[in-house]
């Protein structure tokens, strides 16, 4: 599951996609700079007249020789830009991997806490509250005992709701880290996953 989330983050994150596009653009700039060092052949026709009688017509071919300017500076600059963007992309990818791993660990922890509280609140405390009511009706305990337990039950429910909120927040952080926008689940659906 973690490997799938990491792959999804690498594939879906807009910041990584932008760096990939910038790197591709810089690589094309290298190709362009290399192509500019090949001389442009020029073919042209000319016509001249010399002092009244001689007409000179012809075709000319011009080949500039790039002895000094072979566009090496622009090629080197484009290569340096590709290397910079590649390093920046690697660093960003590493940061995304760390972000996804941290978000996944946080989500798993929050989800586990919510599940434990659900079992405690929904299961044990509700059963005990029912038993206390029966004991109260039978006259074996006083109303103050039921009120104290009911307060504990309400506190357990509050902690459960907070745990659900934490689990949902962690899930949203995980979705943001992976660049996904999934269908929104209710807190109850989330803990049943």
């Amino acid at each position: 599951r973690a490997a799938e989330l990491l792959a999804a983050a690498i594939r879906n994150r807009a910041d990584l996609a932008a760096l990939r596009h910038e790197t591709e653009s810089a690589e094309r700039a290298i190709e362009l700079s290399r192509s500019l060092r090949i001389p442009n052949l020029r073919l042209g026709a000319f016509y001249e007249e010399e002092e009244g009688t001689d007409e000179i017509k012809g075709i000319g071919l011009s080949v500039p020789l790039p002895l000094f300017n072979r566009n090496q500076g622009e090629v080197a600059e484009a290569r340096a830009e590709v290397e910079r963007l590649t390093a920046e992309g690697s660093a960003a990818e590493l940061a995304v991997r760390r972000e996804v791993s941290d978000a996944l660990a946080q989500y798993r922890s929050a989800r586990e806490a919510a599940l434990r509280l659900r079992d405690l609140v929904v299961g044990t405390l509700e059963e005990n509250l029912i038993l206390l009511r029966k004991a109260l009706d039978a006259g074996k305990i006083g109303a103050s005992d039921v009120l104290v337990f009911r307060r504990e039950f309400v506190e357990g429910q509050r902690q459960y709701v907070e745990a659900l909120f934490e689990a949902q927040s962690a899930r949203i952080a995980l979705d943001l880290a992976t660049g996904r926008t999934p269908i929104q689940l209710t807190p109850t659906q989330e803990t049943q996953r």
Side-chain angles (χ1 to χ4, degrees):
R1 176 111 168 108
E4 292 172 12
L5 291 173
L6 288 171
I10 300 300
R11 187 177 56 251
N12 296 337
R13 290 280 296 251
D15 51 348
L16 295 179
L19 282 170
R20 283 192 295 268
H21 291 302
E22 281 186 62
T23 304
E24 291 170 5
S25 177
E27 288 170 350
R28 288 190 195 106
I30 290 174
E31 294 171 15
L32 177 64
S33 296
R34 284 184 181 153
S35 71
L36 291 176
R37 64 183 181 189
I38 298 172
N40 291 333
L41 298 177
R42 294 183 195 163
L43 182 63
F46 63 88
Y47 173 82
E48 292 182 19
E49 284 186 28
E50 281 193 17
E51 301 208 10
T53 58
D54 293 332
E55 290 182 9
I56 302 173
K57 298 176 189 172
I59 297 177
L61 179 63
S62 169
V63 181
L65 296 176
L67 295 176
F68 299 108
N69 182 10
R70 295 186 44 99
N71 220 22
Q72 292 170 335
E74 288 182 28
V75 171
E77 186 178 325
R79 278 191 189 138
E81 181 68 8
V82 167
E83 289 174 9
R84 182 189 68 79
L85 288 170
T86 301
E88 196 174 304
S90 296
E93 186 174 318
L94 183 62
V96 165
R97 287 180 184 276
R98 188 173 32 250
E99 184 180 342
V100 169
S101 296
D102 291 347
L104 181 59
Q106 184 72 24
Y107 169 68
R108 286 178 176 165
S109 174
R111 184 173 177 265
E112 185 63 33
L115 291 174
R116 281 193 309 270
L117 279 170
R118 181 193 65 192
D119 293 342
L120 176 68
V121 170
V122 174
T124 310
L125 291 177
E126 280 185 358
E127 290 172 14
N128 288 341
L129 186 58
I130 292 170
L131 291 173
L132 279 173
R133 283 186 186 157
K134 287 181 182 179
L136 177 66
D137 291 341
K140 295 186 179 189
I141 61 170
S144 62
D145 293 329
V146 174
L147 288 175
V148 169
F149 185 77
R150 182 171 271 180
R151 184 177 298 136
E152 290 177 15
F153 179 69
V154 168
E155 177 62 21
Q157 286 180 322
R158 185 190 62 75
Q159 288 175 353
Y160 174 58
V161 169
E162 285 178 1
L164 285 177
F165 175 77
E166 291 298 323
Q168 187 65 20
S169 295
R171 178 60 191 222
I172 291 169
L174 179 61
D175 290 338
L176 289 173
T178 57
R180 298 183 319 161
T181 53
I183 298 171
Q184 294 297 320
L185 300 177
T186 65
T188 306
Q189 293 171 328
E190 184 65 32
T191 56
Q192 294 173 351
R193 283 180 81 193

